[in-house]
């Protein structure tokens, strides 16, 4: 089969790596890809935002199946564009991507079907939002309803911050995504993610993971796309994983179906494990980044077969096996990230690092310039290790990190600390 993967980050490199191992694969293309993805797929110089050109490419190259990795494309309707042209693709559809595309919709759904989550209300103007926020006490959580490149959630520690966040959103700080605002009670606890795959009716569990969203050691500093992750997440006991499926994911897919929304695709469940049990933080309609980088190395079965089975509605009875070993990834980033950073510095030591036991390096912001690999992104590399447990994977990953260098590189030194404190 000819496969087209859309995207260019570390998640996409991990997916390309897993897809490239499929016995069903004839040729893998990735648009636009990065320097690492080029080792397992043919890069196509079409940006992920150019839906018309992607569809035209897929038609002309007889693509049998397209994998759309990112929320912006799914919420923007790229699945619908491929399917309208007769190209099968991993969804969800634009309509079903409301799972990630509208926080208010999901909160209403939780209330309707009894999924545990933080108390909330939806607002279309600032005054009532501020009054409700004050009634919840501090801290309080202010969310833009729509996608905001991972920046649409503000945890306000004071009333002034909460008022400012509400004004910022209604004044267009996040564009149309902030025309509606969700104000939410703050939940205390440990966060974890659980992934599943749905064909619209049948859902199979994938695996759990934890990421580190703050830029600094000890989970301090500004939020990022994720500075590292590991799987499995020891906080997700088998009982909690069963709850993730039975209390959250399966009822959600059934409720979507009852509304005429067939949810086909990956479900990313963000949970807060509170002292009253697990509560929904959010849903995403895709794999996480960097969570995919630790899920793919643990996958025993064939990713491509599973994704096609989801698209074709035949996931029932599908059993995707996972390795018992742990995987941990450390994001190496460019100094300044998540703010502005320099581009174009040469990365050295990649070969030495990846020859170490258990190491796979997934590229994010890299390009090849002549014979060199250069850093061109904020998040640049995902140095990923497998091991008997999170501890061994962590030691291996940091050993590999120590072999890699470019001017201005940095990483967190404590990826995995929660898992290691627990064991
Ligand atoms: P999101 O952009 O939806 O991933 O949210 C970003 C982060 O905000 C989450 O990963 C949580 O750490 C935090 N968050 C969101 N909602 C809540 C809440 N109600 N209580 C506490 N933390 C929250
Ligand atoms: N790592 C968080 C996300 O992909 O949304």
């Amino acid at each position: 089969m000819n496969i087209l993967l859309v995207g260019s980050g570390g998640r996409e490199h991990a997916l390309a790596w897993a897809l490239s191992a499929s016995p069903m694969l004839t040729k893998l293309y990735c648009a636009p890809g990065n320097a690492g993805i080029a080792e397992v797929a043919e890069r196509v110089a079409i940006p992920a935002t150019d839906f018309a050109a992607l569809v035209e490419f897929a038609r002309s190259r007889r693509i049998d199946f397209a994998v759309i990795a990112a929320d912006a494309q799914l919420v923007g309707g790229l699945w619908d564009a491929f399917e309208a042209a007769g190209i099968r693709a991993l969804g969800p559809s634009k309509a079903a991507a409301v799972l990630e595309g509208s926080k208010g919709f999901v909160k209403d759904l939780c209330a309707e079907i009894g999924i545990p989550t933080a108390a909330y209300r939806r607002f279309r103007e600032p005054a009532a939002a501020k009054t409700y926020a004050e009634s919840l006490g501090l801290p309080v959580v202010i969310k833009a309803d729509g996608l905001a490149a991972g920046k649409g959630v503000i945890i306000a520690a004071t009333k002034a911050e909460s008022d400012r966040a509400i004004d910022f959103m209604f004044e267009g700080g996040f564009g149309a995504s902030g025309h509606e605002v969700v104000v939410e009670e703050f939940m205390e606890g440990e966060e974890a993610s659980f992934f599943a795959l749905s064909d619209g009716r049948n859902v199979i569990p994938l695996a759990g993971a934890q990421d580190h969203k703050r830029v600094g050691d000890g989970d301090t500093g500004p939020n990022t796309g994720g500075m590292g992750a590991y799987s499995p997440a020891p906080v997700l006991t088998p009982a909690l994983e069963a709850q993730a499926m039975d209390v959250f994911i399966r009822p959600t897919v059934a409720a979507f179906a009852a509304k005429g929304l067939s949810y086909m695709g990956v479900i990313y469940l963000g949970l807060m494990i509170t002292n009253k049990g697990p509560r929904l933080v959010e849903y995403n309609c895709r794999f996480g980044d960097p969570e995919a980088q630790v899920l793919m190395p643990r996958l025993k079965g064939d990713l491509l077969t599973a994704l096609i089975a989801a698209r074709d509605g035949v996931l029932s009875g599908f059993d995707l096996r996972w390795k018992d070993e742990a995987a941990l990834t450390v994001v190496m980033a460019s100094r300044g990230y998540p703010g502005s950073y320099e581009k174009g510095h040469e990365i050295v030591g990649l070969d030495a690092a990846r020859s170490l036991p258990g190491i796979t390096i997934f590229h994010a912001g890299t390009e090849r310039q002549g014979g060199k690999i250069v850093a061109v992104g904020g998040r640049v590399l995902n140095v990923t290790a497998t091991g008997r447990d999170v501890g061994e994977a962590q030691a291996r990953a940091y050993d590999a990190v120590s072999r890699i260098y470019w001017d201005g590189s940095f990483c967190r030194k404590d990826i995995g600390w929660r898992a290691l404190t627990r064991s």
Side-chain angles (χ1 to χ4, degrees):
M1 298 181 85
N2 293 324
I3 308 298
L4 172 63
L5 170 66
V6 180
S8 62
R11 166 181 52 203
E12 287 76 5
H13 190 182
L15 295 176
W17 178 82
L19 292 169
S20 71
S22 173
M24 310 226 310
L25 184 75
T26 310
K27 174 112 187 158
L28 178 62
Y29 296 93
C30 183
N34 61 40
I37 291 173
E39 292 179 8
V40 289
E42 181 174 323
R43 292 182 67 182
V44 180
I46 301 174
T49 45
D50 190 345
F51 291 8
L54 289 167
V55 170
E56 185 42 42
F57 174 85
R59 237 203 299 242
S60 68
R61 295 301 171 97
R62 299 179 186 282
I63 294 298
D64 298 294
F65 191 72
V67 178
I68 307 162
D71 43 320
Q73 280 74 49
L74 290 161
V75 172
L78 182 55
W79 179 85
D80 309 66
F82 277 130
E83 293 271 342
I87 295 144
R88 289 191 294 166
L90 180 74
S93 66
K94 181 181 171 91
V98 68
L99 184 75
E100 178 163 1
S102 171
K103 295 189 161 71
F105 175 92
V106 168
K107 296 293 285 189
D108 283 355
L109 187 86
C110 289
E112 215 178 292
I113 64 175
I115 289 182
T117 186
Y120 77 104
R121 275 180 55 193
R122 304 170 71 170
F123 296 94
R124 289 193 170 271
E125 55 89 21
K130 288 178 187 172
T131 308
Y132 179 68
E134 194 170 7
S135 79
L136 288 177
L138 293 167
V140 65
V141 184
I142 315 295
K143 299 184 171 182
D145 181 68
L147 296 186
K151 299 191 176 74
V153 175
I154 296 173
I155 298 176
T158 63
K159 170 149 173 55
E161 264 183 59
S162 156
D163 286 355
R164 247 197 329 269
I166 290 167
D167 286 332
F168 179 77
M169 290 184 195
F170 281 116
E171 282 162 11
F174 296 119
S177 291
H179 287 169
E180 182 173 329
V181 167
V182 176
V183 177
E184 223 176 83
E185 164 203 9
F186 178 80
M187 296 183 287
E188 197 93 54
E190 186 170 339
E191 278 186 87
S193 321
F194 192 75
F195 295 83
L197 185 63
S198 167
D199 71 4
R201 280 178 307 133
N202 309 291
V203 193
I204 61 167
L206 298 175
Q210 274 182 298
D211 78 348
H212 296 64
K213 288 205 168 99
R214 303 295 197 96
V215 76
D217 287 357
D219 295 326
T220 54
N223 255 317
T224 69
M227 295 301 292
Y230 49 93
S231 173
V235 68
L236 286 179
T237 57
L240 277 171
E241 292 197 350
Q243 270 183 289
M245 290 300 290
D246 297 340
V247 177
F248 295 85
I249 294 174
R250 286 203 181 91
T252 299
V253 170
F256 265 57
K259 290 178 190 296
L261 289 169
S262 174
Y263 189 93
M264 176 272 294
V266 173
I267 296 177
Y268 167 147
L269 167 65
L271 285 176
M272 188 71 78
I273 317 298
T274 72
N275 56 19
K276 296 196 197 93
R279 300 269 183 278
L280 179 112
V281 177
E282 58 169 355
Y283 274 125
N284 297 313
C285 63
R286 51 172 174 87
F287 282 111
D289 184 346
E291 289 90 335
Q293 291 87 311
V294 290
L295 293 185
M296 293 306 122
R298 295 191 54 230
L299 182 60
K300 268 193 202 160
D302 182 28
L303 177 68
L304 181 56
T305 315
L307 300 185
I308 292 174
R311 156 63 182 78
D312 288 346
V314 294
L315 263 188
S316 147
F318 210 95
D319 186 13
L320 206 53
R321 299 289 174 91
W322 298 82
K323 296 177 190 163
D324 286 333
E325 41 179 20
L328 180 142
T329 191
V330 177
V331 171
M332 295 185 75
S334 294
R335 188 171 47 226
Y337 175 78
S340 59
Y341 48 82
E342 283 181 27
K343 293 182 182 180
H345 295 294
E346 181 183 3
I347 304 170
V348 296
L350 284 168
D351 288 336
R354 73 174 179 183
S355 66
L356 296 170
I359 297 294
T360 310
I361 298 174
F362 297 120
H363 290 215
T366 66
E367 282 295 346
R368 182 173 285 279
Q369 283 178 8
K372 299 175 183 169
I373 305 280
V374 300
V376 296
R379 292 191 293 178
V380 175
L381 297 173
N382 303 267
V383 179
T384 309
T386 53
R388 278 187 313 272
D389 49 30
V390 174
E392 186 179 59
Q394 185 198 53
R396 286 175 161 182
Y398 279 110
D399 185 19
V401 163
S402 73
R403 317 293 171 111
I404 300 172
Y405 173 81
W406 73 91
D407 188 16
S409 70
F410 80 96
C411 67
R412 275 185 61 163
K413 303 284 189 269
D414 62 347
I415 300 302
W417 72 268
R418 280 183 196 279
L420 296 173
T421 315
R422 187 168 286 277
S423 52

